[in-house]
């Protein structure tokens, strides 16, 4: 049975070539793991910056360094490894959360809780606001895609096999996850929709992208990147809904407890993906061996 593929572009021949892939197939499981990772990124980022009171500045530096380390491991791997790949996705989500908060927020009381007057060492935030922060990040993301386009390399993630192509891919991922955090916080805090309303709006928009998949004039690869950005605010609003006080429309489960549960879910999904990847590799090897036997017989 052919694997269901969602929001991924196909090459004209319907093949991916004989090169060893470094990135995953875009399936339903991919999007489930993406939402889990981005929700965990929101709760974990808030855990370090707000609950543990490290502040946006120090937390952003620490999480960005973690992102660099995980990225080096991913770039150095010779083939797709679900644990490596999704660890980088998670690190971009957590770093993107605090990067967005540092850009958009400041040390005023409306961004602090429990009567705190400051949050960690260093600058409390640039205070650009969500609209300005989102505009800057959209501009940066457009520049990344423009550079990517000029290189002539594919935007279809399953066909990205070069170091330079993967570096551009991860740059776009980091910026898009940071942008998605700004969008999610704007929907939750400033739009009047609240956490549940923001999540419903993003979910409805994602459903609209699924409908557009059936429109031949709309490139699926474009829909993929729209969906990738939008799943981040979905994770942001879901994370806020889990952790924020009941008085603010949340469930007040706490950043620590929510992060622990989400981490367990994500690790379980990563383990499942690892098993599936090994089964696929074995099946692929058996097919190659069978083809070789058939050719010798002929």
């Amino acid at each position: 049975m052919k694997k269901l593929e969602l929001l991924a572009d196909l090459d004209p021949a319907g093949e991916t070539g004989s090169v060893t892939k470094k990135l995953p197939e875009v399936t339903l499981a991919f999007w489930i793991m993406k939402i889990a990772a981005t929700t965990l990124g929101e709760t974990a980022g808030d855990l370090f910056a707000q609950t543990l009171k490290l502040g946006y500045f120090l937390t952003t530096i620490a999480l960005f360094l973690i992102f660099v380390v995980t990225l080096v491991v991913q770039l150095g791997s010779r083939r797709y490894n679900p644990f490596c790949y999704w660890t980088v996705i998670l690190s971009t989500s957590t770093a993107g959360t605090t990067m967005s908060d540092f850009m958009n927020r400041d040390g005023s009381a409306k961004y602090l809780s429990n009567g705190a007057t400051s949050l960690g060492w260093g600058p409390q935030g640039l205070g650009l606001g969500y609209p300005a922060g989102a505009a800057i990040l959209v501009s940066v993301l457009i520049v990344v895609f423009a550079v990517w386009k000029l290189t002539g390399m594919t935007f279809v993630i399953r066909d990205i096999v070069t170091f330079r192509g993967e570096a551009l891919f991860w740059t776009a991922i980091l910026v898009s996850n940071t942008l998605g955090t700004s969008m999610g916080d704007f929907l939750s805090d400033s739009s009047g929709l609240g956490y549940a309303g923001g999540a419903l709006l993003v979910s409805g928009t994602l459903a609209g992208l699924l409908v557009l998949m059936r429109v031949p004039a709309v490139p699926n690869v474009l829909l993929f990147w729209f969906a990738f950005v939008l799943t981040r605010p979905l994770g942001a609003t879901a994370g806020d809904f889990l952790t924020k006080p009941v008085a603010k429309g949340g469930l007040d489960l706490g950043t620590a407890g929510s992060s622990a549960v989400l981490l367990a879910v994500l690790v379980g999904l990563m383990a499942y993906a690892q098993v599936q990847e090994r089964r696929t590799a074995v099946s692929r090897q058996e097919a190659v061996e069978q083809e070789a036997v058939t050719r010798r017989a002929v």
Side-chain angles (χ1 to χ4, degrees):
M1 183 176 180
K2 186 177 180 181
K3 185 182 290 185
L4 176 65
E5 295 185 357
L6 299 179
L7 301 180
D9 229 5
L10 296 174
D11 56 77
E15 302 172 349
T16 59
S18 59
V19 293
T20 303
K21 68 173 185 174
K22 293 288 298 296
L23 303 175
E25 298 285 346
V26 182
T27 64
L28 179 60
F30 173 93
W31 292 111
I32 294 174
M33 295 178 72
K34 170 63 166 61
I35 294 171
T38 54
T39 305
L40 175 57
E42 179 72 17
T43 59
D46 289 346
L47 170 65
F48 291 117
Q50 300 178 30
T51 305
L52 299 180
K53 300 189 185 305
L54 296 178
Y56 304 128
F57 183 68
L58 284 181
T59 306
T60 294
I61 293 175
L63 293 178
F64 186 81
L65 290 176
I66 292 174
F67 159 69
V68 172
V69 172
T70 60
L71 179 60
V72 169
V73 174
Q74 166 66 21
L75 292 175
S77 64
R78 301 183 62 182
R79 58 179 54 85
Y80 170 59
N81 182 303
F83 278 98
C84 289
Y85 176 86
W86 288 105
T87 298
V88 186
I89 290 291
L90 177 58
S91 68
T92 62
S93 297
T94 52
T97 294
T98 55
M99 288 169 63
S100 170
D101 289 344
F102 180 72
M103 289 178 60
N104 300 327
R105 298 180 180 182
D106 53 38
S108 59
K110 65 179 179 179
Y111 294 124
L112 302 176
S113 58
N114 301 323
T117 57
S118 64
L119 197 61
W121 178 86
Q124 297 297 299
L126 300 180
L128 299 178
Y130 299 127
I136 292 172
L137 291 167
V138 167
S139 300
V140 173
L141 189 59
I142 290 174
V143 170
V144 172
F145 283 131
V147 172
W148 194 341
K149 179 67 174 178
L150 290 174
T151 65
M153 290 182 289
T154 180
F155 285 98
V156 184
I157 72 167
R158 68 177 186 181
D159 292 342
I160 297 174
V161 294
T162 65
F163 179 89
R164 184 169 59 170
E166 196 176 357
L168 286 167
F169 169 78
W170 287 113
T171 301
I173 294 299
L174 179 62
V175 177
S176 65
N177 275 334
T178 308
L179 170 61
T181 301
S182 295
M183 295 171 60
D185 287 342
F186 172 77
L187 290 175
S188 298
D189 299 336
S190 304
S191 68
L193 294 175
Y195 307 123
L200 286 174
L201 176 62
V202 176
S203 298
T205 305
L206 288 171
L209 294 181
L210 284 174
V211 174
L212 287 176
M213 285 180 62
R214 300 184 178 276
V215 180
V218 181
N220 280 349
V221 70
L222 179 64
L223 296 178
F224 166 82
W225 282 105
F226 272 118
F228 202 96
V229 171
L230 287 174
T231 49
R232 184 63 186 90
L234 179 60
T237 53
D240 286 340
F241 179 66
L242 291 173
T243 60
K244 298 303 182 183
V246 175
K248 293 185 177 182
L251 296 179
D252 199 17
L253 300 180
T255 55
S258 298
S259 297
V261 172
L262 289 167
L263 179 60
V265 171
L266 183 59
V267 169
L269 291 172
M270 290 163 65
Y272 173 77
Q274 186 72 45
V275 171
Q276 291 296 101
E277 185 64 23
R278 289 179 178 176
R279 289 177 179 173
T280 301
V282 170
S283 299
R284 189 181 299 117
Q285 182 63 30
E286 290 176 348
V288 170
E289 293 175 353
Q290 182 60 43
E291 183 179 356
V293 170
T294 303
R295 287 179 177 177
R296 285 196 296 269
V298 174

